[in-house]
Amino acid sequence: MAKGGVERGALLPVSADDGKGNGGGAGGDDAVLFKGSAMTRRGGTAALSYMACSVLLVMFNKAALSSYNFPCANVITLLQMVCSTCLLYVLRRLKIISFTNSDPSVPSDSLFFVPFRLLLRTTPLSLAYLLYMLASMESVRGVNVPMYTTLRRTTVVFTMTMEYFLAKQKHTPPIIGSVALIVFGAFVAGARDLSFDARGYAIVFVANITTAIYLATINRIGKSSGLNSFGLMWCNGLVCGPSVLLLTYIQGDLKRAMEFPYLYSPGFMTVLLFSCILAFLLNYTIFWNTILNSALTQSMCGNLKDFFTVGIGWVLFGGLPFDLLNVIGQGLGFLGSGLYAYCKIKGK
């Protein structure tokens, strides 16, 4: 009875399938974007939602770490996890969301709302998420926003590699060509900035690798676990939260955070609040977009949204003077992203 109440009360889009084979498409959400398109309306909505959340989150994280010089990126990661897990708990208790698809073999009222066997099954995904969160948060500190987004575009290469090894997924020549154009543009854009911060660049590339592993793991485990997007986020919080708490305690980040002079500043607290809210929305849209579309599409969406990230970051944070070579590289990257989007929509 409780389970049925949850399924009827699930008001938000949660997965690629609602258990009835229609993807919850009561309103035609599974219809294609337009005639000849290979992407559904739900897929397009998920992609656009992810891009909007991602742009805003980078801005607020950059503000906390650079504008306010907050020294503890891991503490922000911990706060985001705690807020996300608490919000999921409240939404699940109020039966606004469900953690599972409409699969009767997956009991939704088990300990912690999901069976322990599913927690164990999603452990690789949770560990990949932990590495992704820690590396991504730290990577935004040492590199200016335009170059951060430029370097992050190379994630698509790692994602294609992980998809091939984990799922044996191959891509068409137009897709490979668009990825090559993006990577070439990234190197062109960074040609005159390679001496800026070697450590910062290294951390960004580590973040790229962990992102690729995370997205490929979502694509593999997310579709077979019986959990929807919220359920996967819930398991991530349960597994990763204690690990991040222990890490921040051992490194002394909690103490440094409590001694931070702007900790109770209204401006800084507002930045942290929006960072936590956007982290929740971003994680949800990452699952939603990756499950509905693919890991590579998710990665390419990250490139398309960079147009706005670069522009806003340049205006708000600066850090990179105007350079024609950089502009050319940025343009090549956006051209490659647009080419991929065209091929994906046309089904090529």
Side-chain angles (χ1 to χ4, degrees):
M1 185 70 179
K3 183 176 189 280
V6 171
E7 296 301 334
R8 287 191 296 271
L11 304 178
L12 301 176
V14 290
S15 69
D17 191 4
D18 67 352
K20 299 176 184 178
N22 57 13
D29 288 339
D30 277 354
V32 296
L33 285 173
F34 49 81
K35 187 176 180 180
S37 172
M39 181 178 286
T40 65
R41 292 177 182 174
R42 292 184 77 209
T45 301
L48 291 174
S49 299
Y50 159 74
M51 288 188 281
C53 293
S54 182
V55 171
L56 292 173
L57 181 60
V58 169
M59 296 302 121
F60 280 101
N61 285 345
K62 185 67 176 178
L65 294 173
S66 296
S67 297
Y68 282 96
N69 292 317
F70 186 65
C72 309
N74 291 345
V75 172
I76 296 180
T77 301
L78 177 62
L79 288 174
Q80 291 174 347
M81 285 186 180
V82 171
C83 291
S84 177
T85 304
C86 291
L87 183 57
L88 286 171
Y89 178 84
V90 172
L91 292 175
R92 176 61 179 80
R93 274 296 181 190
L94 296 177
K95 299 183 179 180
I96 296 176
I97 63 173
S98 169
F99 287 162
T100 62
N101 298 317
S102 301
D103 184 356
S105 65
V106 182
S108 59
D109 290 317
S110 304
L111 182 64
F112 299 123
F113 299 119
V114 295
F116 183 71
R117 61 180 178 81
L118 279 184
L119 276 177
L120 292 179
R121 186 175 181 181
T122 58
T123 297
L125 175 61
S126 299
L127 295 178
Y129 170 72
L130 179 62
L131 294 175
Y132 156 76
M133 285 287 289
L134 295 176
S136 297
M137 180 62 68
E138 187 63 32
S139 66
V140 78
R141 181 196 299 274
V143 180
N144 57 70
V145 172
M147 284 312 306
Y148 170 79
T149 54
T150 299
L151 295 173
R152 288 289 276 166
R153 289 196 201 113
T154 60
T155 301
V156 295
V157 177
F158 299 103
T159 302
M160 291 181 70
T161 303
M162 293 306 302
E163 281 188 329
Y164 176 77
F165 283 109
L166 293 180
K168 301 300 180 183
Q169 184 172 348
K170 297 181 180 180
H171 299 281
T172 61
I175 295 294
I176 296 175
S178 65
V179 171
L181 185 59
I182 290 170
V183 175
F184 178 69
F187 280 104
V188 171
R192 296 185 183 178
D193 192 54
L194 289 176
S195 62
F196 173 71
D197 187 341
R199 179 180 178 276
Y201 272 61
I203 294 177
V204 172
F205 280 113
V206 170
N208 290 347
I209 296 173
T210 58
T211 300
I213 295 173
Y214 178 50
L215 295 179
T217 308
I218 290 176
N219 207 32
R220 186 175 186 181
I221 296 179
K223 294 180 179 179
S224 62
S225 64
L227 296 172
N228 58 37
S229 302
F230 291 121
L232 293 171
M233 290 170 61
W234 174 253
C235 290
N236 279 351
L238 292 182
V239 174
C240 298
S243 302
V244 177
L245 177 61
L246 180 62
L247 177 64
T248 55
Y249 177 77
I250 292 176
Q251 292 183 336
D253 287 341
L254 290 177
K255 182 179 179 180
R256 285 198 297 271
M258 294 302 298
E259 297 172 350
F260 183 61
Y262 300 107
L263 182 61
Y264 298 106
S265 165
F268 181 71
M269 294 183 71
T270 300
V271 168
L272 283 185
L273 175 62
F274 277 97
S275 177
C276 291
I277 294 174
L278 288 167
F280 172 82
L281 295 176
L282 178 65
N283 287 330
Y284 168 67
T285 55
I286 286 175
F287 282 115
W288 192 26
N289 188 32
T290 304
I291 292 174
L292 282 177
N293 297 308
S294 71
L296 184 58
T297 298
Q298 164 63 30
S299 184
M300 296 301 285
C301 285
N303 291 328
L304 287 172
K305 57 85 180 172
D306 285 347
F307 177 80
F308 303 98
T309 305
V310 168
I312 297 173
W314 219 320
V315 172
L316 295 181
F317 304 106
L320 188 66
F322 177 82
D323 181 79
L324 181 60
L325 197 62
N326 185 275
V327 173
I328 293 174
Q330 299 279 2
L332 290 174
F334 293 135
L335 179 62
S337 298
L339 177 62
Y340 174 85
Y342 174 81
C343 295
K344 180 66 178 180
I345 291 174
K346 288 294 186 180
K348 295 182 179 181

